């Protein structure tokens, strides 16, 4: 425990527990979680009154004092497990009767191991959970350990590869609801569905347990700061739209409402500041004649408060579906900031989908209906920006006025087809503002079938790879 701070995996801090807390706060900041001095002081007060040997109470206490958004919890938990580990090295079993089953030859008996894991997960009691944690430590030590160029290291994939926990669903179901006829569990039965979801969740929890143990052991060898750079989940707003997993997309959708509230408040503040209007130079000079030509009193033009119109044209093909989905959710949440919002979607042709996003509509169902009912595909279902822009200019150009802001969402990958720049030029000339949001990294623009630079010559194109970038761009582009 008394390792120097320069030793890889060192747990002691040169300034004791307060210094360790400050190091933990600094790790949170490096991962993008805003923690100020006041929150750090609150966390110190929390630690002063909690039982530090009760990790879960400590975890919840620090989370309450340091976090502001629930979407940051996964990142917080992963860092907490590194800075406040459950143990050091291979934890002793404390006399518990659980160990990896072996064959008479001394090899790991994977069939018996799977039965043991399935039984513990099906039980679900606190005692079984404690035994599962001890077994997880043994799995990581024996199956997940390998030698790297920098010494021993650990891999969650290697620890789970031969165990294959995804194959345990049926066995856990048997343990939860009993053996059914012929070992089958009919779909549609309420009890079966509840048990199936419970079993799937327990398997996911077991995988997470192995990953946490792997990070803990790796941090002892490589240092917790290094493991934090690659082993800690990114914040939802930092996840690349085009690389997001299903779990990350779910977290992204949960972040829409707070992000929309922040943008709406900032837009309202900008609109309030703009209500004073610009200085009317002619009237100011005329009024200054009574003061000898000194413009003491400034006369401002009468403001014309009017909410702008927004027209959104988005690619909803599979390659950018996550980005378009999130941006449409954000636009829907901001619709009250505009006098009118019209939404158009396309794959290889364009159709208006505003009707699916009425106020109060379930956004998940709206997206599904849009893909199913809207006329988005004419021939092969591959993105065709040229034809989509042409159809929009021909059928829906009347939706644009001199008060409209046109927002185009897509990666501009046109499958080597005609980009139809003339149609885009016409649309940009009609609209008051035109901006293109591209979820691809700027370094990939123009590569392969990308027509990004061709379109960027006509309209301003912005890189929007993550929710964080998108929020910054939208905040700057929202008209007052």
């Amino acid at each position: 425990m008394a390792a120097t701070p320069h030793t890889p995996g060192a747990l002691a801090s040169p300034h004791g527990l307060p210094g360790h807390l400050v190091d933990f706060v600094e790790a949170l900041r490096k991962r993008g979680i805003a923690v100020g001095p006041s929150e750090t002081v609150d966390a110190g007060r929390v630690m002063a009154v909690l039982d530090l040997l009760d990790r879960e109470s400590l975890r919840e206490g620090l989370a309450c004092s340091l976090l502001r958004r629930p979407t940051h919890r996964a990142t917080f938990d992963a860092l907490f497990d590194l800075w406040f580990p459950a143990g050091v090295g291979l934890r002793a079993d404390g006399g518990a009767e659980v160990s990896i089953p072996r064959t008479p030859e001394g090899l790991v008996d994977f069939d018996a191991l799977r039965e043991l894991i399935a039984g513990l997960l099906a039980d679900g009691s606190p005692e079984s959970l404690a035994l599962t944690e001890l077994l997880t430590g043994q799995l990581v030590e024996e199956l997940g350990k390998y030698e790297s160029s920098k010494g021993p290291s650990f891999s969650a994939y290697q620890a789970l590869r031969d165990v294959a926990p995804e194959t345990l669903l049926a066995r856990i179901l048997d343990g939860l609801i009993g053996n059914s006829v012929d070992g089958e569990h009919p779909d549609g039965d309420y009890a079966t569905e509840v048990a199936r979801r419970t079993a799937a969740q327990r398997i996911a929890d077991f995988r997470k347990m192995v990953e946490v143990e792997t990070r803990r052991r790796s941090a002892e060898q490589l240092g917790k700061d290094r493991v934090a750079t690659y082993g800690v989940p990114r914040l939802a707003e930092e996840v690349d739209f085009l690389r997001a997993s299903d779990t990350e997309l779910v977290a992204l959708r949960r972040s829409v409402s707070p992000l929309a509230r922040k943008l709406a408040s900032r837009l309202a503040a900008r609109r309030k500041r703009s209500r004073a209007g610009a200085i009317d130079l002619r009237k100011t000079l005329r009024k200054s004649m009574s003061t000898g030509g000194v413009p003491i009193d400034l006369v401002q033009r009468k403001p014309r408060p009017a909410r702008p119109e927004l027209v959104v044209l988005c690619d909803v093909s599979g390659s950018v579906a996550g980005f378009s989905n999130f941006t449409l959710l954000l636009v829907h949440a901001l619709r009250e900031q505009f006098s009118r919002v019209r939404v158009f979607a396309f794959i290889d042709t364009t159709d208006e989908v505003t009707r699916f996003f009425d106020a109060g509509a379930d956004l998940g169902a709206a997206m599904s209906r849009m893909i199913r009912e809207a006329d988005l595909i004419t021939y092969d279902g591959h993105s065709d920006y040229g034809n989509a822009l042409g159809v929009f200019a021909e059928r829906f150009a009347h939706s644009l006025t001199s008060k409209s802001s046109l927002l185009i969402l897509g990666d501009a990958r046109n499958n080597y087809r005609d980009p139809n720049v003339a149609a885009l030029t016409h649309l940009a000339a009609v609209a008051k503002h035109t901006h293109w949001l591209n979820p691809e990294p700027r370094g990939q623009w123009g590569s392969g079938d990308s027509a990004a630079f061709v379109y960027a010559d006509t309209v301003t194109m912005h890189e929007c790879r993550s929710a964080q970038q998108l929020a910054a761009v939208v905040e700057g582009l929202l008209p007052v």
Side-chain angles (χ1 to χ4, degrees), residues 272-449:
K272 183 177 181 180
R273 289 195 299 268
S274 69
R275 285 177 181 170
I279 296 175
D280 190 324
L281 183 60
R282 183 175 61 85
K283 291 184 179 180
T284 298
L285 292 177
R286 179 181 295 176
K287 191 170 185 178
S288 68
M289 296 179 67
S290 61
T291 57
V294 179
I296 296 178
D297 297 322
L298 299 179
V299 180
Q300 295 170 317
R301 292 190 180 96
K302 184 178 180 180
R304 296 181 176 84
R307 293 183 178 182
E309 299 175 357
L310 181 64
V311 177
V312 182
L313 178 61
C314 61
D315 180 1
V316 293
S317 61
S319 61
V320 292
F323 166 65
S324 297
N325 190 328
F326 180 84
T327 310
L328 286 176
L329 295 180
L330 181 61
V331 169
H332 185 273
L334 289 171
R335 63 185 305 120
E336 293 183 358
Q337 301 300 319
F338 302 93
S339 61
R340 184 178 64 165
V341 177
R342 297 187 68 174
V343 181
F344 299 84
F346 69 89
I347 294 179
D348 61 35
T349 190
T350 304
D351 193 11
E352 182 169 9
V353 295
T354 309
R355 62 188 183 279
F356 301 120
F357 295 93
D358 293 334
D362 179 84
L363 299 184
M367 293 295 295
S368 300
R369 286 188 60 202
M370 177 184 70
I371 298 298
R372 186 174 61 253
E373 301 177 20
D375 183 16
L376 306 177
I377 299 175
T378 297
Y379 36 97
D380 62 1
H382 293 94
S383 295
D384 188 342
Y385 282 77
N387 187 62
L389 290 170
V391 171
F392 180 81
E394 179 182 349
R395 296 177 51 194
F396 305 108
H398 61 276
S399 62
L400 290 176
T401 69
S402 59
K403 298 180 181 180
S404 301
S405 293
L406 175 61
L407 209 59
I408 304 175
L409 317 176
D411 57 6
R413 293 206 168 269
N414 200 36
N415 293 293
Y416 302 101
R417 294 165 175 166
D418 178 16
N420 198 358
V421 178
L424 180 61
T425 304
H426 170 68
L427 298 175
V430 175
K432 184 177 182 180
H433 305 288
T434 303
H435 297 279
W436 191 306
L437 309 187
N438 193 328
E440 280 198 335
R442 189 178 297 272
Q444 296 181 11
W445 293 3
S447 64
D449 62 345

